[in-house]
Amino acid sequence: MGAVTLQDVAVRCGVSRATVSLVLQDSNRLSIETKYRVREALREMGYVYDRRAANLRAQRSSSIGLILTDVANRALADLAMSVEVEASATDHAVMIGYSRDLLGKQEKLLRTMIEHRLDGVILSAADGTSRRDLEALERANIPYVLVTRRIAGLECDYAGPDNFRAGEMLAAHLADAGARSIAFVGGSSLVSAREERCGGLEAGLAARRVAFAKRQSIESIADRSGGIDATSELLERGPLPDAIVAYSDTVADGVCFELLQRGIVPGHDVAIASFDNSPEAPHREPPLTSVDTFMSAVGQEATRLLFERMRDPSLEPHISLCSPELHVRRSSSGWHPIATR
Amino acid sequence: MGAVTLQDVAVRCGVSRATVSLVLQDSNRLSIETKYRVREALREMGYVYDRRAANLRAQRSSSIGLILTDVANRALADLAMSVEVEASATDHAVMIGYSRDLLGKQEKLLRTMIEHRLDGVILSAADGTSRRDLEALERANIPYVLVTRRIAGLECDYAGPDNFRAGEMLAAHLADAGARSIAFVGGSSLVSAREERCGGLEAGLAARRVAFAKRQSIESIADRSGGIDATSELLERGPLPDAIVAYSDTVADGVCFELLQRGIVPGHDVAIASFDNSPEAPHREPPLTSVDTFMSAVGQEATRLLFERMRDPSLEPHISLCSPELHVRRSSSGWHPIATR
DNA sequence: CTGTTAGCGCCTTCAA
DNA sequence: TTGAAGGCGCTAACAG
C-alpha cells in the first residue's frame, strides 16, 4: 500500500540506499552497469521520489507562495499564470492564496506558508498592509517580493507596472488632444497603484501647464459600480471636464454607462481613458483608450527577482518597473475641443 | 539561523521533546503549570511549527492540488477562489497549476503533485485527456475529483454545472418565445461541457417539436474571435436562424459583433443567448440572456467531494451537478417571430 | 566504486 | 504525569 521507498529498491538490487540515491542524481561515481540495473528496478517497482522527505532533509520545500487579493480580474489572472510558468521552469511548485483584501485572511495565508517553510513568497498585499504584517516572513527568513502594490516605508524587492509613467502617458496624450480639465475617477487611495497613476497624471499635466486639482480626483470601489458612483459624484461636484481618466477598464465601463444615462456621449462629449488595456477594451463602444500594464511581464519579473534573492539574500532591494504602452482608441481620439464648445 | 525546533524548546524548559509536542496538541495529560511554562518558552523562542516534518511523519502533505486549464476567464477564477476557501477551512493549502490545455504540461503538473504527495487533486482536464493520463494518480493512491470537464469512459468523482439542464432551459425559453430554427455556435466538441450544453438544447427542442440538425452546430475556439468566425460560417451555410445559442458569453460577444457588421441587429432580428451569466452580461448591448452556471458553487462542491473521498476512499464515485439558473434579458426577449417575417 | 551512519523535526508508543 | 526511543524517506559525509 505505502509507496515504494529507496530502501526497498536497494534491497531488491542488493545495494545500499545511498547507491540508489546516487543513481537518482545520475552520479558518475557509479558503474554504468549498476546504474542500469538500479534504474530498471526503480521503474519496475514503480518508485516515486518523495519530495517531502528530500525537502525536510535539505531544509527547503521546492515551492513558492503566491498571495493575491483576488483573481477575478484578467490582469491578476495573467500575473498568476506567468508566475506559475516561471516557477515550474525552476522546478518549484506554487502554493496559492487569495486574501480578498482582508488582512486577517492574508495573515493566515502567511502563517500557513511559513509553517510549510516555503522557499519564497510573492505578495500582492491587501489594502492597509503595513510592514509589521510582514515581520513574520522576515523572522522566518523567507525571501519575498511585492507585486503590484507597494507598502509605504518598506524597502524591499518589488515588481509592478510603471504606473506613474502610465499616468504621464495619458496626461501627455490628453493634453496634446486639447483637454484642459481632467478628472481621475475610481479606485482607493490606500492602494499604491492608484496614487502612482494619479500622481503620474498630475505630473504630466503640470508639465503641460494643465491644472489638476485634488477635487478632480474621486475614489470608489474599483469595479463597474464604483465607476457609476464616482461619475455621479463628479457631475454633482461641478461641470463636465474635457476628459475623464478611470482607474481601470472595469471602472471606465461604469463611467461610460453613467454618462450615457445622463445623455452625455463618451468619446464625443468627453474623452475617456483608463488603465489595463483589457482584451475587451478595443471592442467597447466607443473603443477604449487604455494603457497596457503587461501583468504577465510583471509576474515573470517578480518570480525572477524572488529566485535571485533566494540565491543571494544579501542583495540590495531591487525595484523593477515594467514599461506601459498606450493604446489610443476612439474614446479619446473621437473627442475634440471644438465639439464641446 | 536555522529555525527553533521542538528539541530546543524542550532543552530550554528542561522537559522532553514529547512533552513539548503534547503541549502543542493541548493534551490534558499535562499539568497546567508545565503547559504554561512550555507555552511561554515557545513564544519567547519564536518557535514555528514545521509542517514538513509533521507531514513526513504522518504520511500526508496538508495540501491539495488544483489543476486548471487557465484562469483568464472569470468562471474559472471563481472556481479557483472557492476551492481555496474550502480547502483552507480544513487547514489545507492549495498547490496550483495551469495546463493551458497542453497534455504535456498537465502531465508534468501531475508528476510534481504526486512527488509532493498531495492529499488530493482537483482537475479540470486538458482537451483530449484520457483515463490513461490519470493512471499515475491512481497508482500513487491520490484521490482526485474532476471538475467542469468529464472524461469519456472514466467513472470517478465529478463536480460541474448541469450543462445538459442549462441547454434544456435555453431550448424551452427560445422555443416558447417562438423560435423555430436555432443554431449552436462556438466551443470545441472535445470538451464535454459543449457536448452537454448542445445535447440539452437538442433534447429540449425535440421535446417541443423544434428541429435541430447537426449542421446547425458550429465549432470554434471558445473566445470572441471564435464567435466571429463561427457566425460567418453560419451565415454562409444558410439563412439566418431565429435564434443563436453561443457556447459562452465571450463567444456571444463575437457573435453579436459579426452580426452587426452584416447589418443584422442582435436581439431584434435574431435572438441571442448563451452560458455563464458573466458579470458583464447584463451590461451588454443588448443585455445578454445567459444561464448562470455558478462556478464558485462548483468549486465548493468539488472540494467537498474530494475531502469526502480522502476520508473514505471506498465510496462509490459521486457525480454532483450544480443547478443552473436562466437569466432572460433583451437579447432574447426583444426578439419576436413577427419581427422577422 | 560501494556501504554505513547519522540525522532533518515531528509524533507515537511504551516504559517509568 | 513525564521521559526515552524509534522511525517517516531522503542524503551528505565518511569509511572501506
Side-chain angles (χ1 to χ4, degrees):
Chain A
M1 194 61 200
V4 181
T5 102
L6 271 192
Q7 172 78 296
D8 300 338
V9 179
V11 170
R12 164 78 163 286
C13 295
V15 296
S16 78
R17 283 177 284 172
T19 309
V20 182
S21 186
L22 286 176
V23 172
L24 284 182
Q25 298 163 56
D26 199 18
S27 159
N28 47 9
R29 290 168 48 203
L30 296 174
S31 69
I32 310 267
E33 183 206 9
T34 312
K35 277 199 207 174
Y36 182 79
R37 203 156 41 90
V38 173
R39 286 230 176 84
E40 278 302 287
L42 286 168
R43 188 177 318 276
E44 274 175 26
M45 302 178 70
Y47 169 79
V48 178
Y49 186 68
D50 189 331
R51 219 171 258 270
R52 285 175 312 187
N55 286 338
L56 176 60
R57 165 78 223 219
Q59 294 288 58
R60 48 166 163 74
S61 64
S62 313
S63 309
I64 64 170
L66 174 61
I67 302 184
L68 298 176
T69 51
D70 197 315
V71 77
N73 79 70
R74 174 63 183 257
L76 289 176
D78 285 344
L79 190 151
M81 292 177 70
S82 73
V83 166
E84 190 259 3
V85 168
E86 288 302 300
S88 74
T90 324
D91 252 314
H92 280 258
V94 176
M95 181 177 293
I96 201 154
Y98 308 102
S99 69
R100 297 174 188 254
D101 263 325
L102 269 27
L103 282 174
K105 177 73 197 277
Q106 177 174 279
E107 192 195 327
K108 188 183 168 188
L109 287 167
L110 285 172
R111 200 168 43 238
T112 303
M113 291 182 173
I114 293 170
E115 287 189 354
H116 280 268
R117 298 291 195 277
L118 294 198
D119 297 337
V121 169
I122 296 177
L123 172 70
S124 179
D127 276 8
T129 303
S130 69
R131 52 180 314 166
R132 287 205 51 234
D133 297 310
L134 303 187
E135 271 169 15
L137 278 177
E138 284 173 7
R139 271 197 304 273
N141 249 295
I142 296 183
Y144 62 95
V145 172
L146 260 32
V147 270
T148 300
R149 296 175 175 196
R150 269 145 115 184
I151 292 174
L154 178 56
E155 284 215 6
C156 67
D157 290 325
Y158 171 83
D162 191 341
N163 287 309
F164 191 89
R165 179 86 196 89
E168 281 183 327
M169 286 169 128
L170 283 186
H173 164 61
L174 294 171
D176 290 352
R180 286 298 164 262
S181 57
I182 296 186
F184 188 96
V185 148
S188 153
S189 66
L190 288 178
V191 173
S192 62
R194 182 191 205 270
E195 294 311 277
E196 293 161 7
R197 289 172 185 185
C198 195
L201 184 73
E202 189 169 0
L205 291 177
R208 283 165 186 76
R209 315 224 180 290
V210 176
F212 180 84
K214 274 277 170 285
R215 63 165 187 76
Q216 289 162 297
S217 156
I218 298 177
E219 295 182 41
S220 78
I221 327 177
D223 64 9
R224 186 174 189 276
S225 71
I228 294 176
D229 297 344
T231 305
S232 302
E233 193 178 331
L234 176 71
L235 296 177
E236 274 159 31
R237 283 198 196 176
L240 182 69
D242 288 347
I244 300 177
V245 174
Y247 171 64
S248 70
D249 287 1
T250 319
V251 169
D253 188 26
V255 171
C256 291
F257 174 79
E258 182 61 19
L259 290 172
L260 281 169
Q261 289 293 308
R262 296 169 180 249
I264 302 167
V265 180
H268 183 266
D269 301 335
V270 55
I272 308 287
S274 74
F275 302 85
D276 281 353
N277 194 36
S278 57
E280 305 84 44
H283 308 123
R284 291 275 186 70
E285 184 43 49
L288 183 64
T289 293
S290 192
V291 186
D292 198 324
T293 47
F294 299 107
M295 293 301 269
S296 66
V298 170
Q300 188 175 354
E301 187 60 15
T303 316
R304 210 183 56 70
L305 287 182
L306 183 62
F307 283 126
E308 244 169 40
R309 177 151 308 277
M310 280 157 52
R311 221 169 294 127
D312 180 1
S314 69
L315 289 172
E316 285 297 301
H318 190 302
I319 289 173
S320 184
L321 300 180
C322 299
S323 306
E325 200 174 283
L326 175 64
H327 293 258
V328 175
R329 303 200 181 91
R330 215 171 63 232
S331 73
S332 67
S333 68
W335 174 87
H336 298 288
I338 300 307
T340 58
R341 286 171 193 169
Chain B
M1 196 63 200
V4 181
T5 107
L6 272 192
Q7 172 78 296
D8 301 337
V9 179
V11 170
R12 163 77 163 285
C13 294
V15 297
S16 78
R17 284 176 284 172
T19 309
V20 183
S21 187
L22 287 176
V23 172
L24 284 183
Q25 298 163 56
D26 200 17
S27 158
N28 47 10
R29 289 167 48 203
L30 297 173
S31 68
I32 310 266
E33 183 205 8
T34 310
K35 277 201 208 173
Y36 182 78
R37 204 155 42 90
V38 173
R39 285 229 176 87
E40 278 301 288
L42 286 168
R43 189 177 315 276
E44 274 175 28
M45 301 178 71
Y47 169 79
V48 178
Y49 187 68
D50 189 331
R51 218 170 260 270
R52 285 174 313 187
N55 286 337
L56 176 60
R57 166 75 225 234
Q59 295 289 57
R60 48 168 165 71
S61 64
S62 314
S63 309
I64 64 170
L66 174 61
I67 301 183
L68 297 176
T69 51
D70 198 317
V71 76
N73 79 68
R74 174 62 184 257
L76 288 176
D78 285 344
L79 191 150
M81 291 176 69
S82 72
V83 166
E84 190 259 1
V85 168
E86 287 303 300
S88 73
T90 325
D91 253 313
H92 280 258
V94 176
M95 182 178 292
I96 201 153
Y98 309 102
S99 70
R100 296 172 188 256
D101 263 325
L102 268 28
L103 282 175
K105 177 72 197 276
Q106 177 174 278
E107 191 195 327
K108 189 184 167 187
L109 286 167
L110 285 172
R111 199 167 46 236
T112 304
M113 291 182 173
I114 294 170
E115 287 189 354
H116 279 269
R117 298 290 196 277
L118 294 199
D119 298 338
V121 169
I122 296 177
L123 173 69
S124 179
D127 275 9
T129 302
S130 69
R131 53 179 312 166
R132 287 204 50 232
D133 298 310
L134 303 187
E135 271 168 13
L137 278 177
E138 282 171 9
R139 271 198 305 273
N141 249 295
I142 297 183
Y144 62 93
V145 173
L146 261 32
V147 269
T148 302
R149 298 175 175 193
R150 299 247 321 240
I151 292 174
L154 178 56
E155 284 215 4
C156 67
D157 290 324
Y158 171 83
D162 191 341
N163 286 310
F164 190 90
R165 179 86 198 88
E168 281 183 327
M169 286 171 129
L170 283 186
H173 165 60
L174 294 170
D176 291 352
R180 287 296 164 263
S181 58
I182 296 187
F184 188 94
V185 148
S188 153
S189 66
L190 287 177
V191 174
S192 62
R194 182 192 202 272
E195 294 311 276
E196 293 161 8
R197 289 171 185 186
C198 194
L201 184 72
E202 188 169 1
L205 290 177
R208 284 167 184 77
R209 315 222 180 289
V210 176
F212 180 84
K214 273 278 170 284
R215 62 166 187 78
Q216 289 163 296
S217 156
I218 299 178
E219 295 182 41
S220 79
I221 328 177
D223 63 10
R224 188 174 188 275
S225 70
I228 293 177
D229 298 344
T231 305
S232 301
E233 192 178 331
L234 175 72
L235 296 178
E236 274 159 30
R237 281 198 199 175
L240 182 70
D242 288 347
I244 300 176
V245 174
Y247 171 64
S248 69
D249 287 359
T250 318
V251 169
D253 188 27
V255 171
C256 291
F257 175 79
E258 183 61 19
L259 289 172
L260 281 170
Q261 289 292 307
R262 295 168 180 252
I264 302 167
V265 179
H268 183 265
D269 301 333
V270 54
I272 307 288
S274 74
F275 303 85
D276 279 354
N277 193 36
S278 57
E280 305 83 43
H283 308 123
R284 291 274 186 72
E285 182 46 46
L288 182 64
T289 292
S290 192
V291 187
D292 198 325
T293 46
F294 298 106
M295 293 300 269
S296 65
V298 170
Q300 189 174 355
E301 186 61 14
T303 316
R304 210 183 54 72
L305 286 182
L306 182 63
F307 283 126
E308 244 169 40
R309 176 150 308 276
M310 280 158 49
R311 221 169 294 124
D312 180 2
S314 68
L315 289 171
E316 285 297 302
H318 190 301
I319 288 173
S320 183
L321 300 180
C322 299
S323 306
E325 200 174 284
L326 174 64
H327 294 258
V328 175
R329 304 201 179 90
R330 217 171 63 232
S331 73
S332 67
S333 67
W335 173 88
H336 298 287
I338 299 307
T340 58
R341 284 169 195 169

